[in-house]
Amino acid sequence: MQLARRSLLLAAAAGTATATAAAPAGAAPRGGGPVVIGHRGAAGWRPEHTAPSYTYAVQTGADWIEPDLVPTKDHVLVVRHENEISQTTDVARHPEFADRRTTKTVDGRPVTGWFTEDFTLAELKTLRAVERLPAVRNRNTVFDGRAEVMTFQEVVDLARRLSREHGRTVAVFPETKHPTYFRSIGLPLEPKLAAAIRRNRLGRHECVVQSFEPTSLRRMSGLGVPLWQALGTTGGPYDLPSTTYREMMTPAGLAGIARYADWIGPDKSSLAGTSLVADAHTAGLRIGPYTFRAENQFLPERFRRGSGANDFGDAFAEFALYYRMGVDAVVTDFPDLAVIARRG
């Protein structure tokens, strides 16, 4: 029964390639409803941050695609969920890199593994991507070992090619990951990202920059592209230890964000039973909650179906719920399903 349900979802996804064109990245959504953002591509169907993941996301209707940015040893921006890459690449199977395994303190936490900043781009290109959540998405492991680690420039080039092929603008939505940490080791993200935006002449319709760290976003001002303040559920941004995310989501906090950013991106749970959508709009901000997934364990209990944590639930109902709240975008591992739900 579960296989049949997934087959229906796949068949539905195939029909979204001609989805309604998105609102421009720098403007309020118009016509087709909220912007659908492919979280690391279509991470529900392909290993994240790979060319196949981004391509499938756009083929099935995603308006923006999201690359997380971390640097290499030779200071090239590459696309990985984290700078520690043992969960997203086959680095552990490369004996030539065994001595690179180490423990570092990143944003105040000890992390053990292999780190992008200890590899040149040429070395990273010898690795291949793997599914980050194999226990959740074992169907995606069939694609393990088939895709390279991408640079940010390669993602920009891919987005422009897909834009031409599909007759609509596909925006890139880069996130600066651990920017304070990378500045501390002499590999700042912002100058390289700013240079790429200028070099590629990315405008507000083609690029939106996001970060959990306000300091990082402020360093990206003046580029002519919208800025997106991501918000966590506990604690606060690493660069502002005296500030909490809860404070940032108050009307006063939102007014402060509006002085340097255009969007906020809270966890979707932050919207339940609150006036956050209305408060953000009052402050002049657009709002795009994260991360929408189809598996039961990521859905509210009333939308779960079947008995397994990784069985697909009623993701369409959850999208519809948040669309009714008036959100301006959704960040999702399943952009195909978000587009179908957007069509009603």
Side-chain angles (χ1 to χ4, degrees), residues 211-218 227-261 263-267 270 274-277 279-281 283 285-287 290:
S211 184
F212 281 90
E213 295 192 12
T215 301
S216 183
L217 289 179
R218 291 179 184 275
L227 304 179
W228 174 302
Q229 177 64 61
L231 300 165
T233 55
T234 59
Y238 183 73
D239 58 329
L240 298 176
S242 62
T243 302
T244 68
Y245 290 124
R246 183 181 295 273
E247 292 169 340
M248 294 175 76
M249 287 186 277
T250 65
L254 294 170
I257 293 172
R259 297 190 185 102
Y260 63 88
W263 289 80
I264 60 167
D267 184 281
S270 299
T274 75
S275 59
L276 185 56
V277 173
D279 292 344
H281 289 161
L285 294 163
R286 293 183 285 280
I287 181 169
Y290 68 87

Side-chain angles (χ1 to χ4, degrees), residues 86-101:
S86 64
Q87 291 186 314
T88 60
T89 73
D90 61 359
V91 64
R93 301 175 190 170
H94 287 251
E96 68 272 26
F97 299 136
D99 61 350
R100 307 276 179 98
R101 189 173 189 270

